[in-house]
Amino acid sequence: MLVPLPPLLLLLLVAAVASTPAPAAGDGGAGALPVINPISCLCNSTSVRRTYQPGSAFATNLADLSRALPRNASASGFSAGAFGAAAPGTAYGLVLCRGDFTGTTCASCLEAGFRYAEQNCFSSSDVAVYYDQCQLRFSDKDFLAGGGNAPESAATNMNNVSHGNVAAFDALVAQLVAAVADKASNASRRYATGQAGFPPQKMNVYALAQCTPDLTTAQCRGCLAGIIREMPSWFTGRIGGRILGVRCDIRYEDTVFMATGADMVKLTPLVNSSK
Ligand SMILES: *[C@@H]1O[C@H](CO)[C@@H](O)[C@H](O)[C@H]1NC(C)=O
Ligand SMILES: *[C@@H]1O[C@H](CO)[C@@H](O)[C@H](O)[C@H]1NC(C)=O
Ligand SMILES: *[C@@H]1O[C@H](CO)[C@@H](O)[C@H](O)[C@H]1NC(C)=O
Ligand SMILES: *[C@@H]1O[C@H](CO)[C@@H](O)[C@H](O)[C@H]1NC(C)=O
């Protein structure tokens, strides 16, 4: 069900957790309509960039979509649909908030994403916007039916574990991400988190995996397996990284970046870390 993957876009983030001025839970709303810079916005990446005309059927359908999907996502964190009955002019869209980022703050994050696209994508009719806490894609082509994860975006923390620890650390991250992906695939919300201690470097690793909840367990597992296969080419020795896609995401860091809870995968005991 996965379409061939496009080349990943690599963003080097000095501090992956702290560098993204995305809304923290609690600072959504409040009347202002902020435009927030995303981790990545892919709207020039299709081989043939397509644009729409102001006042066209697609523009009207996209406006409907960008109002409806954030509103619906405030209920469940996810929404997808086709707007406008007859092609051409139909707008297809999908929005997803991170599993621990719900309610009106989810909707505000998505609304900011649609505004960002409107102001930075110059009427592109195929756009994906990724934040830490939410993401969206819309298109004039029906990308919903195929269930593909494109366009993906990868980012890494610039810092590495020390040279002698690379193999053991990568193995631990791989094991943790695999366990979390397994749990996410089988969870009704298709979201799971986990943690593991890494004594050789007195550090801990935290991870999450998520799929859109409309995927079956098998589809979610397949989507996550696809991005997990990409990990070695991006993350060797890196203390943190993420691969984001329209249908599924993984992320790991050496600090807590998501809500923690009793239902986390706990792989190895946490160590007393300075972070
Ligand atoms: C898309 O391309 C245009 C023209 O090169 C550029 O000005 C704009 O910043 C790009 N948008 C994004 C989000 O990369
Ligand atoms: C949005 O939610 C309403 C009410 O639950 C539902 O009828 C509608 O189909 C949803 N639209 C989309 C695009 O999910
Ligand atoms: C981490 O390792 C990569 C690949 O070897 C290297 O390019 C990068 O400069 C390293 N980062 C730091 C902060 O040293
Ligand atoms: C998946 O979830 C079902 C129902 O919640 C449960 O019975 C099953 O054991 C789970 N499988 C795995 C591999 O966790």
Side-chain angles (χ1 to χ4, degrees):
M1 66 102 207
L2 286 172
V3 299
L5 304 176
L8 295 173
L9 175 72
L10 178 63
L11 301 176
L12 294 177
L13 301 181
V14 177
V17 179
S19 66
T20 308
D27 66 10
L33 294 176
V35 173
I36 299 160
N37 287 331
I39 298 166
S40 80
C41 174
L42 306 173
C43 57
N44 293 328
S45 59
T46 44
S47 49
V48 181
R49 188 179 123 92
R50 300 185 305 281
T51 56
Y52 62 89
Q53 296 301 314
S56 63
F58 180 80
T60 304
N61 293 329
L62 178 59
D64 289 346
L65 179 156
S66 64
R67 276 191 300 273
L69 294 189
R71 198 166 54 216
N72 272 29
S74 66
S76 69
F78 167 75
S79 187
F83 290 73
T90 309
Y92 303 87
L94 181 154
V95 300
L96 178 69
C97 287
R98 207 172 73 189
D100 59 350
F101 200 68
T102 55
T104 53
T105 47
C106 166
S108 309
C109 180
L110 293 166
E111 283 159 5
F114 279 108
R115 278 194 299 278
Y116 182 88
E118 197 179 337
Q119 294 175 17
N120 295 277
C121 289
F122 308 104
S123 303
S124 170
S125 45
D126 199 324
V127 171
V129 182
Y130 293 104
Y131 292 100
D132 271 342
Q133 298 93 342
C134 75
Q135 60 186 64
L136 64 90
R137 184 181 177 195
F138 64 79
S139 180
D140 58 344
K141 298 254 167 77
D142 184 3
F143 67 96
L144 297 172
N149 207 35
E152 293 180 346
S153 175
T156 73
N157 192 299
M158 290 229 297
N159 296 317
N160 306 302
V161 294
S162 62
H163 190 69
N165 287 332
V166 167
F169 181 76
D170 288 351
L172 181 74
V173 169
Q175 204 189 342
L176 178 64
V177 170
V180 171
D182 220 44
K183 182 160 180 170
S185 313
N186 204 35
S188 61
R189 296 172 63 224
R190 307 278 183 261
Y191 173 74
T193 60
Q195 63 185 33
F198 186 60
Q201 202 151 329
K202 284 199 172 56
M203 61 186 281
N204 297 310
V205 195
Y206 303 87
L208 77 70
Q210 182 170 18
C211 296
T212 57
D214 61 330
L215 295 192
T216 65
T217 289
Q219 287 171 326
C220 178
R221 201 178 291 282
C223 185
L224 290 169
I227 54 177
I228 285 171
R229 276 194 296 276
E230 308 273 348
M231 285 179 62
S233 59
W234 297 108
F235 299 149
T236 301
R238 301 283 186 170
I239 62 168
R242 65 187 111 192
I243 299 176
L244 306 174
V246 170
R247 289 296 187 169
C248 68
D249 308 298
I250 55 164
R251 181 176 175 189
Y252 73 96
E253 304 288 351
D254 68 339
T255 50
V256 177
F257 61 91
M258 72 302 188
T260 55
D263 59 347
M264 290 173 80
V265 171
K266 296 194 173 82
L267 200 61
T268 54
L270 294 184
V271 300
N272 204 351
S273 153
S274 55
K275 291 211 175 183

